[in-house]
Amino acid sequence: MSRLFRKYHRLLGIIISLPLLLTIITGISYSIFDELLGQGEIGHLMLEIHTMEIIHLEIIYPLLNGLGLLGLLVTGLSMTNFFKKPLSKS
């Protein structure tokens, strides 16, 4: 079972890395341009890219990011053996 979770974890990690990287970069860029530099136009563009409003995916993009992270969390925790019963000492 752990082998199967490793396979899915690796695949999910590859798939979800690009959207998450884009979310991170545009979120940081928005903060820098809008809040620190006062460049509202560029900040607004970064926010549109951040939420994928620019290609009309603003409803489903955060959901897909969240589901991808949830999948990585479940598969990652299952590989740690954190939830397995300890062996009894008899």
Side-chain angles (χ1 to χ4, degrees), residues 56-74:
H56 306 293
L57 291 177
E58 65 270 11
I59 294 174
I60 197 162
Y61 185 69
L63 179 66
L64 293 176
N65 267 347
L67 288 175
L69 284 174
L70 187 62
L72 284 173
L73 181 69
V74 168

Side-chain angles (χ1 to χ4, degrees), residues 12-62:
L12 266 174
I14 292 169
I15 291 170
I16 199 77
S17 65
L18 288 177
L20 283 177
L21 186 63
L22 180 68
T23 301
I24 292 166
I25 290 172
T26 56
I28 292 170
S29 298
Y30 169 74
S31 295
I32 290 171
F33 284 117
D34 193 50
E35 307 275 330
L36 297 176
L37 299 177
Q39 300 290 323
E41 304 84 32
I42 298 174
H44 184 68
L45 176 65
M46 288 296 123
L47 189 59
E48 284 184 353
I49 296 170
H50 181 74
T51 60
M52 282 296 157
E53 185 180 331
I54 200 161
I55 56 174
H56 306 293
L57 291 177
E58 65 270 11
I59 294 174
I60 197 162
Y61 185 69

Side-chain angles (χ1 to χ4, degrees), residues 81-88:
N81 296 329
F82 185 70
F83 297 106
K84 287 190 176 182
K85 285 192 222 177
L87 295 173
S88 62

